[in-house]
Amino acid sequence: MCICKSISDTQIREAVDQGARTIGDISARFGVGVECGKCLDDIRQLLDACVVAPPSPVTSHCSTAPVEVTPPRATEPAPQRAAWFAVDL
């Protein structure tokens, strides 16, 4: 799930089993999303799948079925703008 922090989907599922419910919970626990942020959409999908499922007394309420990962969207580069601030080095 998060390449920057080497966090797997299994670790996120375990965190959900232990009470994590939001991206903020996962970020506070593992530090995901602070480097590049590319993992946040996939983690949000996994959280949605895990948290929505009702808990079962026998098995974890978070399915171990693979989550469909959407490919990154092609983005256009941001237009060049003049800086509105000055940096004093």
Side-chain angles (χ1 to χ4, degrees), residues 4 11 13 19 30 36 52 63 79 86:
C4 299
Q11 290 172 293
R13 285 187 181 98
F30 298 114
C36 73
V52 170
S63 169

Side-chain angles (χ1 to χ4, degrees), residues 13 46 49-50 53 60-66:
R13 285 187 181 98
L46 180 60
C50 291
S60 167
H61 63 276
C62 184
S63 169
T64 57

Side-chain angles (χ1 to χ4, degrees), residues 18-86:
Q18 295 170 1
R21 294 291 177 261
T22 65
I23 291 284
D25 294 341
I26 300 297
S27 183
R29 184 172 188 152
F30 298 114
V32 299
V34 296
E35 298 293 327
C36 73
K38 291 181 181 179
C39 62
L40 293 179
D41 287 337
D42 295 335
I43 292 172
R44 188 170 289 112
Q45 286 179 344
L46 180 60
L47 279 174
D48 289 345
C50 291
V51 173
V52 170
S56 169
V58 178
T59 61
S60 167
H61 63 276
C62 184
S63 169
T64 57
V67 174
E68 183 178 324
V69 177
T70 56
R73 291 174 266 160
T75 58
E76 294 181 21
Q80 294 294 331
R81 297 182 187 176
W84 57 269
F85 59 91

